[in-house]
Amino acid sequence: MAACGKLLGLLALLAAGAADVSVLNTCMDGKHHKTEPGKEDELHGQCSPWKENACCTNSTSHAAHDDQSYLYNFNWNHCGIMSPACKRHFIQDTCLYECSPNLGPWINKVDQTWRKERILDVPLCKEDCEQWWNDCRNDMTCKENWHVGWDWSQGYNQCPHTSKCQLWESVFPSPQDLCEKIWSNSYKYTTFTRGSKRCIQMWFNATQGNPNVEVAKYYANAGAGLSPWMLLVLLFPALLAALP
Ligand SMILES: *[C@@H]1O[C@H](CO)[C@@H](O)[C@H](O)[C@H]1NC(C)=O
Ligand SMILES: *[C@@H]1O[C@H](CO)[C@@H](O)[C@H](O)[C@H]1NC(C)=O
């Protein structure tokens, strides 16, 4: 009986390893995501790199470029008008979040009214994070975590009375502070560079395909820790013991 239990345990581990494939090419259960990724010929502007395979619709891709769009009513201009150089990074961030089918390894369940899943610790390429921070350096903001703590009484986010507008650098002293804190650890700062296959690119040239496909594969396997083959080798004694 004990041996049989071990065999079941082995099978469960193998299943866990195999199940990891399901995190590849998938859409999170968010507010606007499609249920399955697929081709979207009409994706707009900065979201167009995802048109071969996307979790966003044409309509979402348009809204990603608008101020206080119907997506989240989010007001980028809460401390004066956000500069276009800075805003383009927030548009790209929205495109990645809404359109990418390669964030599976970092999807986590959440208990929130507006979504059932979120991303956590997505390893962002160094350049994407640093250029974002550099281009926003002369902008102002009043908050470090843009997910929570706003005054939504007017239907869009405004600075709460307890916070004042400050230069970007006072709120986010480094690129790492920006990328990790702004969306409560949705991103993780890395020193991996674009093209390294070890970090997710917010910006990419789609004429060479989507580089994040490989990155998701790498982390999906790393997440499994042990390959099914390694498990078989390690658990071979248990397997033998289970045989009559
Ligand atoms: C794409 O979405 C925009 C904005 O919602 C809309 O004006 C346009 O007609 C749509 N295009 C297609 C091909 O559906
Ligand atoms: C994308 O790559 C292609 C081919 O390498 C190049 O011709 C094009 O200018 C690039 N586009 C951008 C926006 O960098």
Side-chain angles (χ1 to χ4, degrees), residues 1-237:
M1 280 311 279
C4 186
K6 276 184 196 162
L7 184 58
L8 283 177
L10 167 69
L11 289 175
L13 277 169
L14 283 174
D20 233 53
V21 172
S22 70
V23 305
L24 300 176
N25 195 36
T26 191
C27 297
M28 84 180 83
D29 191 352
K31 191 175 178 199
H32 301 288
H33 292 79
K34 290 160 46 179
T35 50
E36 300 282 339
K39 207 163 159 60
E40 289 290 335
D41 289 325
E42 305 291 329
L43 290 190
H44 181 63
Q46 289 180 225
C47 295
S48 63
W50 283 275
K51 61 188 174 183
E52 283 307 311
N53 195 27
C55 289
C56 59
T57 60
N58 161 49
S59 165
T60 299
S61 75
H62 275 267
H65 294 70
D66 297 340
D67 287 340
Q68 271 167 251
S69 74
Y70 74 88
L71 297 177
Y72 306 101
N73 269 337
F74 202 89
N75 167 30
W76 306 118
N77 307 321
H78 52 264
C79 283
I81 307 290
M82 182 183 273
S83 69
C86 178
K87 200 195 287 174
R88 70 191 185 101
H89 293 276
F90 284 94
I91 294 170
Q92 201 67 21
D93 163 54
T94 307
C95 289
L96 177 72
Y97 176 80
E98 300 293 345
C99 304
S100 178
N102 312 118
L103 301 176
W106 303 278
I107 292 176
N108 282 255
K109 300 276 173 211
V110 278
D111 187 14
Q112 290 175 336
T113 53
W114 56 286
R115 59 178 180 183
K116 294 202 173 67
E117 291 181 335
R118 64 162 297 179
I119 45 171
L120 194 65
D121 294 331
V122 172
L124 197 61
C125 293
K126 180 182 160 77
E127 300 93 329
D128 291 72
C129 182
E130 292 185 348
Q131 286 173 14
W132 188 358
W133 184 78
N134 264 313
D135 287 343
C136 293
R137 264 183 112 156
N138 299 318
D139 284 80
M140 313 271 282
T141 186
C142 56
K143 285 177 56 38
E144 186 181 65
N145 183 338
W146 289 19
H147 265 152
V148 295
W150 296 102
D151 170 2
W152 284 94
S153 61
Q154 303 297 310
Y156 58 91
N157 56 304
Q158 292 181 292
C159 293
H161 293 301
T162 49
S163 69
K164 63 175 200 300
C165 293
Q166 291 178 284
L167 256 184
W168 204 259
E169 250 179 295
S170 314
V171 179
F172 302 112
S174 70
Q176 181 169 4
D177 289 306
L178 167 66
C179 298
E180 296 186 353
K181 291 177 179 170
I182 195 162
W183 301 126
S184 42
N185 299 103
S186 292
Y187 295 122
K188 191 166 130 71
Y189 176 83
T190 76
T191 52
F192 294 120
T193 53
R194 287 178 188 160
S196 68
K197 301 184 178 176
R198 296 292 179 267
C199 59
I200 291 289
Q201 284 180 225
M202 204 157 87
W203 298 89
F204 60 89
N205 185 341
T207 54
Q208 290 123 39
N210 181 341
N212 297 328
V213 173
E214 283 297 313
V215 181
K217 260 186 212 159
Y218 173 79
Y219 284 97
N221 289 330
L226 296 168
S227 68
W229 269 115
M230 281 299 291
L231 278 173
L232 264 181
V233 170
L234 285 173
L235 297 176
F236 194 63

